[in-house]
Every structure is written in C-alpha cells, then in structure tokens.
Amino acid sequence: MTRPVEEQTYRSQRWFIFAATLTVIILVPVLCFLS
Amino acid sequence: MEAVVFIFLAVLYLGYFVCALPVAAVAAFAIYGLGMPLAYLYGLAQVLVVRPPWLSMPTRQPKLPAGADPAVLQYFYGPALVDADHAVRVAHGNCRAFVQRGLRAAGGSVSSDAALMGWPVGIGGAIGMTAGTLAGIVVTTGCAIVHLLTVGVSAACVRAIGMFLRLADSAVLRMRNINMVCPDCYERVPYPGYECPGRGCGHRHRDVRPGRFGISRRRCRCGTRMNTLLLFGSAQMNAFCPYCGRALEHRPGKAPEIVLPFFGAAGAGKTRLLLSMVTQLETWNQDGILPAAFGDSATTRELSSAREILRSQAATAKTAVKLPRSYVIRLMADRKSRILHMFDAAGELFYTSERTQELRYLSKAETFILVVDPLSVPSFWDQLPAGQQTELAGLRSNAPSPELAYQQAHLEIEAMGARLRSARLAIVFSRADLIDAPDADIATWATDTLGLGNLVRSAQLNFKEAAFFFTAAVMAGDVIHESISTLLRWVLRGHGIDPPREGPS
C-alpha cells in the first residue's frame, strides 16, 4: 500500500480515471444504440 | 392406474425439464454476462476509489533513479500504470471467484439430495454460465481496454501539458531575456533549485519544473505543495544553485540579470570604482531616481559601508586574490526589476591565463569595465613634475602595464566563447581627482599621452562599443563625483535602463 502522502496526492486522479472509464463504458453503448 | 400416474408424472417432469433448463440457462447467461464486467468494475472501484485496508498490495512499484528529488511522483508518471495493473489483477480475482461460486452452485444442484429436480437447473445453469462467462469475458475485456485507454490517453495529455508548460516557461524567460547566473560558481542556471517551504522540512528540489513529480505543482515528501514554474510563482520559495548548492537569496528568475565584470591590473582602483558606483546607486535610490536594493545578505554585509569608506577617504582594502563572489543589487526601472551582478576580482587574477580562465563569469557578460590607473603607466609617470611625483608616489600602484591585464582578459573572454562583437567595454581611467583632466578626447589622450594606443585600438576593433571615461571615486561632502554617474548611466543604458536626471518632485 502506498504511503498516506501519496494516497492523498493521487485521490483526485484515481477518481478521475474511474469516472472517465465508467462514463465511456456507459456512453459507448448508449451512443451506439442511439445511432 | 399406476401407469397413468407414471405417464402423468413423466409428462409433468418433462414439462419442468423443458422449462427449467432454458430458464436456468438464460438466467445464468444474464447473470454472468453482466456479472463479469460488474466484477471488473467493482475491482476497479476497490483500487481507484474505495481502497479498503484489506486490499492486496500491488505487485509492481514505480522506480525512481538514484538522487531523484524528494517529491511524490506525479500520478501519470508511473503510479497510474501500477494502479491499472493492480486493478486488472484485483478484477481478475473477482471474476474468477464469481465463476467459481457459479460452478460450485451448479455442481451442488446436481449432486444434492434433490438431484432429480436440481440437475436440469444445474445443467441449464452450467450451459448458461459458460455462454455468459464467454460473453462476459468479451465485455470485460472491452471495459479493461477502455480503462487502459483512459489511463494511456490521460498520461499522454498530462505529459504533453507538462512539456508545453515547460516550453512556455522557457520561452517567457527567453522573451524577457532572463539568463540566471550563480554569484558563486558563475554557472548559467537554467532553472534554480528550491527548498521545500514546509515548516521544518528543508528538502531540496533540484529541478521543480513540470515533469515526473508534478505538472502545475508538486508535493514534497513532507506533504507540502510547491509551485513548479516561475510562471506559477515558484520564485517565492528559497532558491539555490543546482550546480554548487549555494543559496540564491536574490530570488532569480523574475528579472533580467546584468553581469558586470571589473578587470584591470592590481591597484588600478577597481574596488574603489565599484564602491563609488554602489554609492551612486544608493543616492539615486534615496532621491527616487532609480530604486535599488542589495540583493542578498552577503552583498549587504560587504557594501553597506561603501559610503562611509568613500567619505572617510581611507584607502580601500586590498582585494583578496581568490575567486570573487558577485555583489548582487536589485534595480527597479520603469516598474521592471533587474538584477545587477558586479564581479570585482583581484588584479593578480588577470596576469596569467590559468587564473583568468577560472573567472568563467566573463563569458556571461555583455558589458565590461576595464580600470586603468594612469599613474601606473611609466611613460605618463615620467612626464609628471618631480613635485607631483613625490606627492603621488604613495598612491601609485606597482602593477604591471594595464595592457597585460587587458590582453589577458580579452584573450580568455574570447576563448570562453563570448561574442565580443556584441559586447561593450568601458575603459575607465581612475585618479581624475589627482591628475588634470585631458584637454583632448580621452581615447586620444590615452593614445598620445599614456602610450596605450594598442589597447585603445584593440578595444575599438574587438568590441561593439568601446567608451572612455575619466573618473574620480571620491566624495565631496555627501555628493559623489559626477564622473561616476556618467559611467553608471552609460553602463545601465546598454541594458535598457535610463535613470532620469532628476527624481520625482
């Protein structure tokens, strides 16, 4: 496990990667369906 | 009767079989087709968002080169890949556990006491689970590709932004003509190192620019955030030279720097001239003509008594024969700051090429000041009346000809790769308070009376501009001799500073 300073530093970037991945995974089928 | 019951039950069981098997297969297919990608996303959430204490350790760790700055790696310069690898491993474990749970359930339904009822569900479930798992693997692989692509694209974007910011900062420094020079080791500093501003930390970061430790800001190992660029205000932190490690108290990087070397034979009056120029700057500062301040504590310590030394008319202490540290003075002209480095080396350092080569700051200068004591020129001394010779004998330096120091410095500056054709040279004849001012032009006087024709011609040929001054580094009351302000104005004008004749009323 990484140290607390790194955990704190990476929190927002990890959230960003998770949210971006989830958004793409949801959006791609929706856009495919709509088109 | 029994036969009828058997046939009825057989038909009923057949009906159950026909219904249960496909229903179990469809349900298992749906559960595993959706469950596999969900198990992957759950693993992703565990690694990226929740990070529970029982989460397994990542198998990889980003590696740092030896001697790297004591800072936390930027996420997209290693840790993102570690997380991606970790997330894939955790998700893979989740998916495998999910499939094993299904296999156990299917096996249990076949081998249980109610196997007659359970085996159609088990068989159907197994068939559906197999198909669902295969479909789930395809969807999960798609999710993993999206995740890895997101990491890859984000890392590429972040690195591109870092590169752009680094280039933009360098371009701004170039446009503003900011070339930083270390006052101690004379190296051209591409970017200062900075000390962590955290209380009690003091970790030293040699290169804070955008890169593996942060784009707009970096985080020291102590947790303190630091700006990465002068554009973002890194100049507010304590700087140090990345080459010699000494403190750069004048906070370089925000103002163009002027390197002003004094050279000439020993006893020519270089130090006294420097003190008088500093005193003139102090006067201008007091009169509101040109705001100026000492740039660091060493300069303050050495030069704060310049006015008193000149006013007392005491002889200036002999300059130590060692590599000089620059005196740093911050000037504010037209609301723009400039940093003036004045290098005063002992004359002995200009007598041999080995010693002069050590003065590497000479190659960074665009303006030079050669100080010549007319009394040290034998042909001029011999022309003086005997009475005047007796009077001035104690003040005359025994240094070799001023041409030696000039030629030596000239050769070494050229050897260092400096472009003399774009540099300016002030040839300053000192002692204007002791000898009569020349009637003719100073260059002509130096050629005809002092016999320094070779020096004058060489200076005029090799430098973009050679100007001649006759100065007296003395004070009358609290006023410095006017020749000093003439010289200082010429020096500053070449660097875009033109102090007004009078201060604000």
Side-chain angles (χ1 to χ4, degrees):
Chain A
M1 195 62 68
T2 45
R3 293 174 305 163
V5 173
E6 282 145 359
E7 288 292 316
Q8 204 181 338
T9 308
Y10 301 151
R11 191 180 298 152
S12 58
Q13 286 102 325
R14 282 175 170 146
W15 261 104
F16 168 78
I17 290 294
F18 182 71
T21 305
L22 213 58
T23 306
V24 174
I25 287 170
I26 292 166
L27 272 185
V28 167
V30 170
L31 289 176
C32 287
F33 176 75
L34 288 178
S35 62
Chain B
M1 187 59 192
E2 282 182 359
V4 173
V5 172
F6 178 76
I7 290 167
F8 175 73
L9 286 175
V11 169
L12 202 66
Y13 187 74
L14 195 65
Y16 166 72
F17 180 82
V18 167
C19 290
L21 193 136
V23 166
V26 168
F29 178 82
I31 288 168
Y32 278 86
L34 287 171
M36 290 285 283
L38 285 175
Y40 180 85
L41 291 177
Y42 177 60
L44 205 61
Q46 280 180 315
V47 172
L48 296 180
V49 181
V50 184
R51 299 189 69 76
W54 43 262
L55 191 66
S56 63
M57 290 282 283
T59 52
R60 294 167 45 169
Q61 283 295 341
K63 286 194 179 86
L64 278 176
D69 279 351
V72 176
L73 266 178
Q74 209 281 341
Y75 185 65
F76 292 106
Y77 281 76
L81 272 181
V82 170
D83 273 358
D85 179 71
H86 192 197
V88 168
R89 286 175 195 278
V90 169
H92 177 251
N94 288 347
C95 292
R96 204 168 59 179
F98 186 49
V99 170
Q100 281 172 348
R101 205 175 304 142
L103 285 174
R104 274 199 303 274
S109 63
V110 175
S111 61
S112 68
D113 293 341
L116 202 61
M117 297 300 287
W119 79 269
V121 175
I123 295 292
I127 293 167
M129 196 180 82
T130 307
T133 301
L134 289 174
I137 286 172
V138 172
V139 177
T140 304
T141 306
C143 292
I145 289 171
V146 168
H147 169 219
L148 295 177
L149 273 177
T150 307
V151 172
V153 170
S154 304
C157 288
V158 165
R159 286 173 187 228
I161 291 169
M163 186 80 77
F164 170 76
L165 286 174
R166 210 170 159 126
L167 288 174
D169 199 67
S170 300
V172 169
L173 289 181
R174 191 176 285 265
M175 277 162 53
R176 293 171 62 189
N177 199 23
I178 297 175
N179 290 309
M180 293 167 268
V181 176
C182 175
D184 287 286
C185 70
Y186 321 140
E187 287 289 344
R188 177 86 71 201
V189 177
Y191 224 80
Y194 289 101
E195 284 177 9
C196 171
R199 186 174 290 180
C201 174
H203 272 134
R204 288 188 139 200
H205 297 247
R206 289 170 61 87
D207 187 358
V208 298
R209 285 177 291 181
R212 68 170 63 153
F213 294 114
I215 302 303
S216 64
R217 293 207 284 181
R218 65 164 54 189
R219 199 186 272 265
C220 179
R221 278 197 197 138
C222 73
T224 307
R225 285 188 181 278
M226 300 169 69
N227 290 320
T228 55
L229 285 174
L230 292 162
L231 284 173
F232 301 146
S234 64
Q236 301 304 315
M237 298 182 289
N238 291 336
F240 67 90
C241 172
Y243 296 105
C244 68
R246 293 201 180 90
L248 301 172
E249 287 179 42
H250 57 287
R251 300 186 190 280
K254 295 191 87 176
E257 301 194 2
I258 304 167
V259 175
L260 186 63
F262 291 70
F263 69 107
K270 298 183 292 297
T271 305
R272 203 163 182 86
L273 179 66
L274 183 145
L275 293 178
S276 62
M277 288 170 78
V278 169
T279 308
Q280 182 64 65
L281 285 172
E282 276 183 345
T283 306
W284 281 348
N285 179 50
Q286 286 162 7
D287 296 346
I289 291 174
L290 180 67
F294 295 131
D296 55 31
S297 55
T299 305
T300 308
R301 200 168 47 246
E302 297 288 331
L303 296 183
S304 55
S305 57
R307 185 178 290 272
E308 280 66 41
I309 292 171
L310 289 180
R311 196 186 282 146
S312 69
Q313 298 185 341
T316 315
K318 170 98 185 68
T319 307
V321 184
K322 62 176 187 180
L323 293 178
R325 184 190 189 278
S326 84
Y327 298 113
V328 185
I329 294 177
R330 185 177 288 277
L331 307 172
M332 281 294 292
D334 302 327
R335 293 182 185 174
K336 286 178 187 165
S337 184
R338 304 278 205 297
I339 291 166
L340 177 64
H341 291 272
M342 301 167 99
F343 287 95
D344 176 27
E348 288 82 351
L349 297 179
F350 297 102
Y351 296 162
T352 60
S353 62
E354 289 77 20
R355 298 309 307 266
T356 314
Q357 278 169 8
E358 295 176 65
L359 306 174
R360 287 173 293 115
Y361 60 83
L362 292 171
S363 64
K364 278 90 179 174
E366 291 177 350
T367 304
F368 298 84
I369 295 183
L370 169 66
V371 185
V372 177
D373 175 12
L375 300 179
S376 70
V377 179
S379 60
F380 178 73
W381 178 258
D382 294 341
Q383 291 170 25
L384 293 176
Q388 199 174 3
Q389 280 188 357
T390 313
E391 191 184 325
L392 299 176
L395 299 168
R396 187 189 181 208
S397 68
N398 298 319
S401 161
E403 284 189 309
L404 174 65
Y406 167 76
Q407 294 298 351
Q408 194 61 54
H410 170 217
L411 288 174
E412 291 309 326
I413 295 165
E414 275 197 322
M416 286 173 195
R419 289 181 304 164
L420 290 186
R421 293 302 303 167
S422 59
R424 304 184 313 146
L425 172 67
I427 300 177
V428 179
F429 296 96
S430 56
R431 319 279 191 194
D433 52 321
L434 301 177
I435 54 178
D436 296 333
D439 298 328
D441 165 62
I442 300 173
T444 312
W445 172 75
T447 305
D448 298 343
T449 311
L450 300 184
L452 297 177
N454 287 341
L455 190 155
V456 170
R457 278 188 294 279
S458 171
Q460 288 171 331
L461 273 173
N462 291 300
F463 286 83
K464 183 179 83 174
E465 183 184 353
F468 298 86
F469 299 88
F470 197 49
T471 63
V474 291
M475 293 184 80
D478 209 34
V479 180
I480 197 90
H481 195 274
E482 61 182 357
S483 58
I484 302 300
S485 74
T486 308
L487 169 65
L488 198 49
R489 282 180 190 282
W490 179 86
V491 168
L492 296 179
R493 205 174 296 129
H495 297 277
I497 304 172
D498 195 4
R501 295 280 161 189
E502 288 180 3
S505 53

